[in-house]
Amino acid sequence: MIKVAIVDDHKLFRQGLAVILAAKDTIQVVEKYESALDLLKYIQHLQVDVILMDIDMPGMDGISATTEVLKIRPDIKVVILSMHLNSVKIQEAIAVKVKGYLLKTSSDVEVVEAIESVMNGTDYFSKEAQAELIDSYRRKEDPDYVELTKREIDILRLVCEEMNSQEIADKLFISKHTAETHRRNLLSKTDCKNSVGLVKYAMDHGYI
């Protein structure tokens, strides 16, 4: 039996998925957590093979949580199960070494296939995720394409949380001057006039 844990802050989805997977002969749902922080409390001794991890959760997102999980338990395989279909999220997931990426619209058959694939040593990314990655590389050939650095993406997301330059500086352990420089660079790169424009840009391009 493949032992699976589900981490998702939506109770109905979490419980519904557990019921679906419990009906499968090869899978046993051993734990369900409503947040990544709850998961990390027990990760050291958790008897599990695969974690199905949401991205957007209070306290800690699934990407950051995956990094922490694999530091402690590199033997566990993490599969992202998210509503997000954008290249930024998918690439961030790949960067932290997830073994799979599925959409919440995936069928139960595909979820089981993904779990069994990663247990057999093969990464599993849904067709939609693969297509989005391919499209993202094609978009980069567009002369109007804007490529942001990782730090700029961090700054952009904090701007979207309505943080000012000093708050951003404190959050990222940088100087206020550096934070202001990144903000100016973002405005210039994205051709936005103010923070409202940056929020719209972030939404339109899948950064939030």
Side-chain angles (χ1 to χ4, degrees), residues 13 17 27 53 63 74 85 119-120 123 166 173 178 196:
F13 179 83
L17 180 59
I27 296 173
M53 181 91 74
I63 303 296
L85 181 61
M119 281 303 296
N120 289 327
D123 292 356
Q166 186 59 63
F173 304 103
T178 299
V196 174

Side-chain angles (χ1 to χ4, degrees), residues 53-84:
M53 181 91 74
D54 190 15
I55 290 182
D56 290 334
M57 292 180 287
M60 178 182 286
D61 66 87
I63 303 296
S64 300
T66 297
T67 299
E68 296 305 313
V69 165
L70 296 181
K71 281 181 184 177
I72 302 168
R73 294 289 303 278
D75 57 304
I76 293 177
K77 296 168 175 59
V78 179
V79 175
I80 294 294
L81 187 54
S82 174
M83 65 180 182
H84 288 291

